[in-house]
Amino acid sequence: MIELIPAIDIINGQCVRLTKGDYDQKTVYGSPLEMAQEFERLGYKRLHMVDLDGAKSKHIVNSSVLCQITTETQLTVDFGGGIKTDEDIEIAFNHGAQMVTIGSIAVTEPERFMGWLKKYGAERIILGADVRNGKISINGWKEDSTEDLLPFLKKYIDAGVSKVLCTEISKDGTLAGPAIELYKRVMKEYPTLHLIASGGVSCIDDIKALDAAGIPAVVFGKAIYEGKINLQELWDWQNA
């Protein structure tokens, strides 16, 4: 059964969602802590949290929000956005993140990423693979690299990476449905990978389709905040 991971994106300490990663297409949804507490109340165990200010600024900005959520809930939080230095990753772990999602550094400083993978272990490091037009995008989706998705994944899976969060940027925040064919290609190539699909989820049927395609996990956010997914109904389906 697919792992369900609700998402909270943070700008200025508030829960927001962007469309296609565009900071000018922002909708504010209120308190991150209240959202996290609601997820926990309904039975969810995981939370994907992104510091969008951090991604843009290239250093962690909203560590206080992370600390608040990890202190006042029992959720297992994976945290990403702005983790560029050894100090940043220590801030994330010291503020309660059990895992971190690292994308840009894996492109721009592969030796640093490999060092973190060795130091903290594959269970705590999620490789972020944000894709636009087949290329890996970095720095809060502001820049496209020259890295193609599958060779990029192979390099790090061969080095021990076991968890990948893959976002199809053209789908993100659009409620247009997930990039199932993209995820199926990845899973065909790497069948033991713990692939976390992200972007475009609009309804429970999208999650059911990912599950039927054998995708191990899914992150979803905007569909929650726009009332397209009933979290209780989704929880009941998974636990039926």
Side-chain angles (χ1 to χ4, degrees):
M1 181 61 74
I2 194 166
E3 182 182 17
L4 303 175
I5 310 173
I8 290 177
D9 292 354
I10 311 295
I11 291 179
N12 294 329
Q14 295 179 303
C15 180
V16 306
R17 295 301 290 179
L18 306 182
T19 299
K20 298 183 181 179
D22 185 348
Y23 284 74
D24 293 327
Q25 297 187 61
K26 177 182 71 177
T27 306
V28 178
Y29 295 101
S31 164
L33 176 61
E34 289 179 5
M35 285 305 310
Q37 288 173 328
E38 177 66 5
F39 297 150
E40 185 176 45
R41 184 187 70 77
L42 289 167
Y44 292 84
K45 307 297 185 186
R46 271 286 293 278
L47 176 66
H48 175 62
M49 182 176 170
V50 181
D51 182 352
L52 289 174
D53 292 316
K56 195 173 184 180
S57 302
K58 301 185 182 181
H59 62 86
I60 290 178
V61 174
N62 288 288
S63 57
S64 61
V65 182
L66 169 63
C67 187
Q68 190 177 37
I69 289 173
T70 58
T71 299
E72 299 193 34
T73 76
Q74 298 299 311
L75 293 168
T76 297
V77 177
D78 78 80
F79 180 87
I83 300 175
K84 306 294 186 187
T85 65
D86 295 349
E87 180 183 9
D88 287 323
I89 196 169
E90 285 293 326
I91 287 171
F93 285 137
N94 289 338
H95 284 74
Q98 285 94 339
M99 292 170 276
V100 292
T101 300
I102 310 291
S104 300
I105 287 297
V107 175
T108 61
E109 297 184 56
E111 289 185 4
R112 184 187 293 272
F113 180 85
M114 292 290 198
W116 289 347
L117 186 64
K118 183 176 180 180
K119 180 176 179 178
Y120 299 105
E123 285 303 305
R124 303 196 77 188
I125 303 289
I126 301 169
L127 176 63
D130 300 330
V131 184
R132 180 163 46 210
N133 299 322
K135 303 290 186 182
I136 300 295
S137 186
I138 60 174
N139 294 328
W141 302 348
K142 297 295 183 187
E143 305 168 42
D144 292 333
S145 75
T146 58
E147 296 265 11
D148 291 312
L149 175 61
L150 290 179
F152 175 75
L153 295 182
K154 182 180 188 326
K155 174 171 59 178
Y156 287 116
I157 290 168
D158 288 349
V161 162
S162 60
K163 300 175 184 177
V164 170
L165 174 71
C166 186
T167 302
E168 170 51 74
I169 295 169
S170 68
K171 296 279 192 178
D172 192 72
T174 64
L175 301 175
I180 294 179
E181 293 306 313
L182 172 68
Y183 304 131
K184 286 167 72 172
R185 285 204 307 274
V186 173
M187 291 306 298
K188 183 178 179 181
E189 197 76 20
Y190 307 109
T192 62
L193 181 67
H194 189 78
L195 179 66
I196 306 166
S198 172
V201 171
S202 66
C203 59
I204 291 177
D205 283 345
D206 284 340
I207 293 176
K208 290 179 178 178
L210 288 165
D211 183 51
I215 309 307
V218 58
V219 162
F220 52 102
K222 191 168 186 176
I224 301 169
Y225 305 113
E226 293 292 321
K228 306 293 186 183
I229 285 180
N230 181 298
L231 286 170
Q232 185 64 62
E233 183 183 342
L234 180 59
W235 181 258
D236 290 344
W237 163 74
Q238 191 189 50
N239 291 277

